Amino acid sequence: MQSSLTSFRVAVIGGGPAGLMAAQTLAQGGAQVDVYDAMASVGRKFLLAGRSGMNITHDEPYADFVTRYGASAAPLRPMLDAFGPGAVRDFVHGLGLETFVGTSGRVFPTDMKAAPLLRAWLHRLRESGIRFHMRHRWLGWRDEALCFEAPGDDGGAQDGEGRPAATRDLLVRPDAVVLALGGGSWARLGSDGAWLPWLAARGVAVAPLAPANCGFDVAWSEHFSSRHAGEPLMTVAVIARDGQGQEMRRQGQFVVTRGGVEGSLIYALSAALRDQIAADGQTTIWLDLMPDWSEQRVLDELSRPRGARSMASHLQSRLGIKGVKAGLLRECLSKEQFGDETRLAAGIKRLPVTLLRPRPIDEVISTAGGVRWEALQGTMLKAVPGVFVAGEMIDWEAPTGGYLLTACLAGGVAAARDALAWAAAR
Ligand SMILES: Cc1cc2nc3c(=O)[nH]c(=O)nc-3n(C[C@H](O)[C@H](O)[C@H](O)COP(=O)(O)OP(=O)(O)OC[C@H]3O[C@@H](n4cnc5c(N)ncnc54)[C@H](O)[C@@H]3O)c2cc1C
C-alpha cells in the first residue's frame, strides 16, 4: 500500500489524540498528511487530562471493557478489537514510556503526566514527515474545498488572546479528510463544537452535544455549603435509577461543591442522571453513608444509651459520622428525623439528595452527542464521501478511567485505515 499511496493527500483536522493517531496511521500507510488545528499547539485537552493523573486505558477483562461504552459498544467494537487496551499500552511503551496499573484498574503512564508522552509522540510524527499547521481554524466547506481561517502575512502576530491578529481564508482540496474535532467542553482548549451545524448542513445526522462525566447542581443551604464545600466523601455508596427505572448502586468517592456534587462516583452515574433530568426536570440520588454496615447494625449502635450527649456527638462516638457526613444528615433530614434513631438510621443508609441540573457543558470532562452512528459507513460520512471522523465528536460516551482516550485512539486508527482502504479502492 505504501508506494501506491504516496500521492494520496489527507488533511487531518484536529490535533487531539484521535487526530494525531489518525495522522500517524495514515503516514505509516504511505499518505501525505497535513494536520490542521485552531490552536497554537496540538493536544491541549490531552495535556489537561495529564494534570490530574491521566488514565490512558483500563486493565480488566476485555469483555467487561467493551461494555463500558453502553449503547455504543457494538459500533465501537471493531475499532477496539483492532486497537484495544493492550495496543494502547504498547503504543505508550513504543514511545519509550512505561505504564502501571492502579488499584482501580486504571492504566497510567509511570509519571501520570501527558506532557512527556505528547512530546515524544510529536517528535515521532514530525520525523515521519507529517506537516503541522497551527492556528488554522476550520470554518467548514466553501465550493467543496476546506476553508480555514489561517494566520495572515504579518509574520504571525497575535492578538491578546493568542489568536492571529491578521487572518486570511485558506482553501485546501485534499484527496481525503479526517475530522477529529473533539466534543464541546473546555472550548478555550480548542474543542468548541462549532462544527456541528456545518456537518448538519451537509446532511450529516448529528445529536446535540450534552455534558457527560459531569457534576450536578444541588440547592444546598448557605449554612451547609459554606461549611462543607470542597470536602470529599471517601467511603459512600450512591443509589440511582438507570434508564429502565432499575436501581444502580455504586461505591466510591465524590466531593461536595459549593453548589452541588462532583467526582468519580457521580461521573460514573452521570449519563443516566443527565437523561432523567432532561426527561423529568430533576432527579434524586440516595446516599448510603455507611455502605459496609447494615441498617440494623446502624440502628443497634444508635439505640445504645447516649445519656446527656447530643445526637451529633452520639453519631460521632458510635458510628464515626462527623464533618461533611454529619452535615449532610442535618441538611437532608428534618429535625424530627435527625432526632429519632430509627428514622436517622434509615437516613444514614438512604439519604435522598435532589439533583437539579448537570454542570455547564464547558466545564465537564467529556461530551455525549455529535455525529450519529447511522451517519457513518465505517468511519466515513455517508453524506460526504472521502470525509472520515474520529474521537469524541462521534456520538458515544464512556465513564472516566481510560475509556475515553482508548476509544479516541482506536477511532483515529480506524478512520485512517478506512481512508487508506478508500483510496486504495479508487
Ligand atoms: C479535565 C479532563 C481530564 C480528563 N482526563 C482523562 C483521562 O484521565 N482519561 C481519559 O481517557 N480521558 C480523559 N479526558 C477526556 C479526553 O481528554 C478526551 O476525551 C480526548 O482528549 C478527546 O480526544 P479528541 O481527539 O476526540 O478531541 P480533543 O482532544 O478535544 O481534540 C480536538 C482538537 O480539535 C481542534 N479543533 C476543534 N475545532 C476545530 C476547528 N474548527 N478547526 C481546527 N481545529 C479544531 C481542537 O483545537 C483540538 O486540538 C479528560 C478530559 C478533561 C477535560
Side-chain angles (χ1 to χ4, degrees):
M1 195 181 276
Q2 178 106 15
S3 56
S4 61
L5 287 177
T6 46
S7 60
F8 179 48
R9 295 171 305 118
V10 189
V12 175
I13 313 180
L20 295 180
M21 188 50 91
Q24 171 176 313
T25 311
L26 284 160
Q28 283 165 350
Q32 287 179 37
V33 187
D34 289 274
V35 174
Y36 298 88
D37 199 290
M39 305 303 285
S41 58
V42 294
R44 295 206 166 185
K45 191 177 275 184
F46 187 66
L47 289 173
L48 177 73
R51 268 204 233 148
S52 48
M54 183 178 64
N55 3 117
I56 188 98
T57 189
H58 210 97
D59 184 48
E60 65 187 327
Y62 184 61
D64 295 337
F65 183 92
V66 289
T67 63
R68 310 298 175 204
Y69 298 93
S72 290
L76 278 172
R77 177 87 198 226
M79 303 184 199
L80 296 167
D81 285 351
F83 197 89
V88 171
R89 292 184 77 175
D90 289 346
F91 157 68
V92 177
H93 300 158
L95 291 172
L97 295 144
E98 290 305 315
T99 56
F100 74 96
V101 183
T103 45
S104 59
R106 291 164 187 236
V107 178
F108 301 88
T110 305
D111 61 4
M112 299 178 88
K113 297 205 173 80
L117 199 163
L118 185 62
R119 233 185 345 262
W121 194 9
L122 288 176
H123 179 69
R124 186 158 299 179
L125 294 177
R126 287 204 179 89
E127 274 189 334
S128 70
I130 294 167
R131 289 176 302 215
F132 287 86
H133 308 269
M134 295 299 97
R135 297 198 177 92
H136 280 62
R137 180 177 298 280
W138 183 52
L139 302 175
W141 287 273
R142 193 179 299 166
D143 302 330
E144 292 302 310
L146 299 171
C147 180
F148 292 94
E149 180 192 76
D153 300 325
D154 57 354
Q158 296 166 29
D159 68 12
E161 292 177 344
R163 295 180 64 158
T167 60
R168 67 196 160 102
D169 283 357
L170 174 72
L171 298 184
V172 178
R173 289 187 169 77
D175 299 315
V177 180
V178 174
L179 297 177
L181 300 162
S185 69
W186 292 80
R188 66 180 180 278
L189 302 181
S191 323
D192 59 10
W195 49 269
L196 214 81
W198 306 334
L199 293 196
R202 294 288 304 250
V204 177
V206 289
L209 298 179
N213 291 304
C214 55
F216 291 86
D217 289 344
V218 178
W220 300 132
S221 67
E222 175 58 27
H223 179 83
F224 174 76
S225 72
S226 63
R227 276 166 184 74
H228 299 297
E231 287 186 35
L233 284 118
M234 301 304 278
T235 315
V236 281
V238 174
I239 301 146
R241 294 222 164 83
D242 68 12
Q244 284 72 49
Q246 300 294 315
E247 285 200 348
M248 323 179 260
R249 182 188 166 91
R250 300 265 190 290
Q251 196 164 324
Q253 310 177 1
F254 73 89
V255 179
V256 163
T257 62
R258 181 132 199 104
V261 287
E262 66 177 28
S264 55
L265 184 54
I266 299 297
Y267 300 160
L269 298 163
S270 60
L273 298 172
R274 174 201 64 213
D275 293 347
Q276 284 156 26
I277 292 173
D280 304 332
Q282 61 181 40
T283 194
T284 300
I285 56 173
W286 294 269
L287 308 182
D288 182 344
L289 301 178
M290 300 212 62
D292 301 327
W293 286 42
S294 68
E295 188 172 329
Q296 188 58 51
R297 189 172 165 207
V298 171
L299 181 57
D300 289 348
E301 283 302 315
L302 283 179
S303 303
R304 288 177 190 270
R306 67 177 156 113
R309 270 190 319 210
S310 69
M311 186 59 96
S313 58
H314 192 52
L315 265 179
Q316 178 166 355
S317 66
R318 303 275 18 142
L319 298 173
I321 289 184
K322 55 183 178 170
V324 62
K325 282 190 178 177
L328 272 167
L329 289 168
R330 283 216 181 271
E331 176 76 0
C332 302
L333 298 179
S334 67
K335 220 172 176 178
E336 293 69 36
Q337 288 170 318
F338 191 81
D340 175 275
E341 285 86 2
T342 307
R343 293 159 84 191
L344 181 57
I348 289 168
K349 292 298 292 175
R350 202 179 164 90
L351 191 67
V353 175
T354 302
L355 307 184
L356 301 175
R357 63 194 81 82
R359 291 299 301 158
I361 196 164
D362 197 45
E363 68 179 56
V364 304
I365 287 186
S366 63
T367 51
V371 176
R372 292 186 189 273
W373 289 108
E374 62 263 31
L376 298 177
Q377 184 176 357
T379 58
M380 188 171 78
L381 297 176
K382 288 178 190 161
V384 200
V387 177
F388 302 80
V389 289
E392 206 182 303
M393 68 180 293
I394 302 177
D395 184 14
W396 55 267
E397 61 182 310
T400 54
Y403 304 104
L404 296 163
L405 284 172
T406 303
C408 290
L409 295 168
V413 172
R417 288 185 180 162
D418 286 353
L420 291 166
W422 179 79
R426 274 155 54 99

